[in-house]
Amino acid sequence: MEINFRHEINGVKVITAIAQDADTNQILMLANMNKEALIKTIETGKAHYWSTSRNQLWLKGESSGHFQEVQEILVDCDMDAIILKIRQEGAACHEGYYSCFFRKLNTDNDINIEDLKEEDLEVILERLVNPDDVY
């Protein structure tokens, strides 16, 4: 039995990784991991991911100081996605929010999903840091 790196992005085999607060269960972010990122995460206890935009391995918090200490790793039934139960230092989101899921889609509006407007989204979290100061 082995982890199924079946999803391919830019020629790299990855799995989906969800970072979840170990204490509150709040979902903080979604990213991708290749085999090397998963191995580094297990070895160091700090979350490593595969950046599909930069096409490189990255240690979460390396530039911002907002590291993710991994408490537990859960594997789904198809073994192609994981949940990292983490303790987050600072903001998980590169926009300076604790969670990347800081906006709520306002489904009460008549929205066009292909052309979202500002009033279609509601910011539901406070920004922790100015991203220009950190990232």
Side-chain angles (χ1 to χ4, degrees):
M1 195 182 295
E2 59 186 57
I3 301 292
N4 188 354
F5 293 89
R6 77 161 110 198
H7 309 292
E8 189 171 323
I9 301 175
N10 300 331
V12 177
K13 299 281 191 173
V14 296
I15 57 172
T16 301
I18 300 165
Q20 182 179 37
D21 186 294
D23 297 319
T24 68
N25 289 327
Q26 181 179 8
I27 301 297
L28 302 183
M29 58 179 273
L30 181 136
N32 295 289
M33 294 177 116
N34 64 355
K35 187 181 277 188
E36 181 183 10
L38 182 56
I39 290 168
K40 288 270 194 199
T41 297
I42 293 166
E43 287 176 351
T44 66
K46 292 184 187 256
H48 289 72
Y49 299 101
W50 179 257
S51 171
T52 57
S53 60
R54 293 174 289 170
N55 227 26
Q56 68 182 39
L57 182 72
W58 59 285
L59 165 62
K60 176 66 177 160
E62 190 169 29
S63 61
S64 67
H66 298 181
F67 294 98
Q68 294 177 339
E69 297 288 336
V70 178
Q71 306 300 301
E72 190 175 26
I73 300 174
L74 306 175
V75 182
D76 82 330
C77 57
D78 294 327
M79 297 190 68
D80 63 355
I82 63 170
I83 296 175
L84 300 176
K85 296 278 210 164
I86 58 135
R87 293 234 158 74
Q88 178 68 48
E89 296 177 29
C93 179
H94 75 280
E95 292 195 27
Y97 294 90
Y98 183 65
S99 170
C100 292
F101 299 94
F102 62 90
R103 293 179 287 223
K104 178 173 83 170
L105 190 60
N106 187 349
T107 56
D108 294 337
N109 290 352
D110 184 24
I111 60 173
N112 177 352
I113 199 70
E114 294 174 358
D115 184 28
L116 289 177
K117 297 184 176 23
E118 196 168 323
E119 61 267 16
D120 296 330
L121 297 167
E122 177 186 353
V123 175
I124 57 172
L125 297 176
E126 289 186 38
R127 192 183 302 260
L128 298 180
V129 295
N130 182 337
D132 294 335
D133 296 339
V134 179
Y135 299 96

